[in-house]
Amino acid sequence: MRRFTITVLAVLALTAPAAGQSYPEHVVRIVNPYPPGGSVDVMARILAQKLTDSLGQQFIVENRSGGGGNTGSESVAKAEPDGYTLLFTAPGPLTINPTLYGKLPFDPARDFVPIALFAIAPIVLMVHPSVPANNVPELIALAKKVPGTINFASAGNGTTNHLSGELFKSMAKIDIVHVPYRGAGPAMNDLVAGHVQMFFDLLPVSLPQINSGRVRALGNAGAKRPAVLADLPTIAEQGLPGFDAVSWVGLVAPAHTPASVVAKLTAQVAKVVNSSDIAARIHELGSEPGTVFGKDFGSFLTAETKKWAEVIRASSAKAD
């Protein structure tokens, strides 16, 4: 029996590098756990096309939406760990939903292996032009002067714009009221109409409203100023050091995917992200190219999970 075990381990040791060298040998599915046509879908298809071009096999995007991204993510978590089913997702299923939903049919930390942070979608804090605040300190002062009267919109409970507002509320020690909508579109419409006073939303979709003057941008929510809105100070620069709220898209594989396959995918995605044409395309879409890969992306996911878990518990946020 011992001789058989040693033989099997020897065979696996020899075949593992070979798996990476020959991968991929047929079509690879990249599951997007959100509906088609959104920003996650656009980014996933950009990546899929580049991987198809560079690796010589077709990478296709499959949309499996539902449950706040949990449905498609579960399907990948339970897929054969061979590198032919991957998950390309926004933060929800990997870093927010484990706390927001209480119990999931998968464990992001256990059931996935990190590959790459593909792109970061900046978030910006905006107010209706009627709000008498031209920067973050003035908004905080106003909120303290009239507690409980400033409403902030979101795309729904547990979304990144909701949790960004809750993080702001907590760090600034102010009393503002959450107003959830069914999607970012209706939330933005009501901000423009003046029915709510403030809104944290993704910069790519907010830029037209900012540039038109229909809303006033007060601060970049991320740790760094994005290239597309470089003149606007971050919230951290305006008196809330450490404030950092962004959305992002990243690629993971099922746990136990051969290390050589994961290494090959990680190297290829890093090459894609660092290529001048894709970096330019990501900037064109109002986002920033990803900067962490492999284990570094894993550390990023751990930090994001901890941060949002604290915000969710403090705000008592629950999934819709």
Side-chain angles (χ1 to χ4, degrees), residues 91-298:
L94 297 182
T95 61
I96 294 173
N97 294 357
T99 306
L100 188 69
Y101 283 78
K103 187 176 182 180
L104 295 177
F106 60 93
D107 181 341
R110 181 194 66 210
D111 294 336
F112 297 110
V113 58
I115 295 174
L117 176 66
F118 184 72
I120 297 169
I123 293 175
V124 63
L125 166 59
M126 299 162 287
V127 296
H128 185 266
S130 65
V131 175
N134 293 300
N135 53 50
V136 170
E138 289 181 3
L139 178 63
I140 293 173
L142 177 66
K144 288 182 175 180
K145 183 179 180 181
V146 288
T149 62
I150 295 177
N151 298 322
F152 75 95
S154 84
N157 287 318
T159 55
T160 50
N161 36 43
H162 170 210
L163 298 182
S164 297
E166 295 291 354
L167 181 63
F168 184 72
K169 177 180 178 179
S170 173
M171 291 185 67
K173 296 179 173 56
I174 54 176
D175 179 12
I176 53 178
V177 181
H178 175 223
V179 181
Y181 289 81
R182 291 197 173 276
M188 178 61 84
N189 289 341
D190 267 15
L191 179 68
V192 171
H195 300 312
V196 288
Q197 288 75 50
M198 61 178 281
F199 185 30
F200 282 87
D201 199 18
L202 299 181
L203 180 55
V205 293
S206 304
L207 206 53
Q209 305 292 359
I210 295 169
N211 289 338
S212 70
R214 293 186 179 93
V215 301
R216 181 187 303 131
L218 297 190
N220 278 305
K224 297 180 180 179
R225 301 185 190 188
V228 73
L229 207 61
D231 292 336
L232 184 68
T234 66
I235 292 173
E237 290 175 306
Q238 297 184 68
L240 289 184
F243 191 96
D244 184 10
V246 296
S247 187
W248 46 264
V249 286
L251 187 70
V252 297
H256 309 301
T257 298
S260 56
V261 171
V262 172
K264 187 169 188 176
L265 282 167
T266 300
Q268 287 295 322
V269 178
K271 184 177 178 181
V272 168
V273 171
N274 290 315
S275 64
S276 58
D277 59 332
I278 295 304
R281 179 64 175 138
I282 290 172
H283 279 131
E284 186 180 295
L285 292 168
S287 296
E288 300 288 316
T291 56
V292 289
F293 309 94
K295 290 182 179 179
D296 289 338
F297 181 39

Side-chain angles (χ1 to χ4, degrees), residues 1-18:
M1 179 66 181
R2 185 165 178 244
R3 183 180 296 173
F4 174 76
T5 302
I6 293 172
T7 302
V8 170
L9 290 174
V11 170
L12 288 175
L14 289 171
T15 57

